[in-house]
């Protein structure tokens, strides 16, 4: 019962993130090879989130049971190399919260790729999906 209760807020947050991606028709996923599969299926985004795939939105990223929220909102512009810092937290079921600093890098040589540094040796990358 508690597990189902915890999944409900996760599902709602994932649905909210999916309803409001960064650009009106732009979708950003943490796996570029999943874009076609997600875009061709009516339930592609929900299925991807349910499998643990991450979807980027303007105030963070999420899957079905993992969320990271930050402020200020992202402003994606690849006209020049840009780096911005965002504060926030990540949440796992339980609930478990982790305060986090997110450093977002946008490189004009890699348009459509959002790199988010969170203290690991490599950034988490999100890729723009074309429809």
């Amino acid at each position: 019962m508690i597990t189902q209760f915890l999944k409900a807020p996760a599902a709602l947050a994932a649905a909210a993130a999916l309803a409001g991606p960064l650009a009106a028709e732009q979708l950003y996923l943490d796996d570029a090879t999943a874009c076609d599969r997600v875009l061709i299926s009516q339930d592609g985004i929900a299925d991807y989130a349910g499998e643990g795939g991450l979807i980027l939105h303007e105030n963070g990223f999420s899957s079905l049971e993992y969320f990271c929220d930050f402020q200020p909102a992202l402003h994606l512009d690849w006209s020049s190399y840009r780096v911005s810092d965002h504060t926030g937290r990540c949440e796992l079921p339980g609930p478990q919260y982790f305060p986090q600093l997110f450093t977002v890098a946008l490189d004009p040589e890699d348009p459509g790729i959002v790199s988010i540094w969170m203290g690991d040796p490599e950034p988490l990358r999100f890729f723009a999906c074309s429809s």
Side-chain angles (χ1 to χ4, degrees), residues 49-62:
E51 296 165 2
L54 297 173
I55 300 107
L56 181 67
H57 50 92
E58 68 181 4
N59 289 313
F61 52 89
S62 61

Side-chain angles (χ1 to χ4, degrees), residues 20-28 58 76:
L22 292 170
E25 296 184 27
Q26 190 62 61
L27 176 65
Y28 292 85
E58 68 181 4
L76 301 182

Side-chain angles (χ1 to χ4, degrees), residues 63-83:
S63 69
L64 193 58
E65 294 187 359
Y66 178 69
F67 317 93
C68 290
D69 295 315
F70 51 72
Q71 291 295 326
L74 291 178
H75 174 70
L76 301 182
D77 177 3
W78 284 271
S79 62
S80 64
Y81 190 81
R82 298 177 187 277
V83 176

Side-chain angles (χ1 to χ4, degrees), residues 87-105:
T87 58
R89 68 179 177 277
C90 293
E91 178 183 351
L92 294 168
Q96 300 175 41
Y97 298 98
F98 304 94
Q100 188 70 54
L101 173 65
F102 304 89
T103 299
V104 179

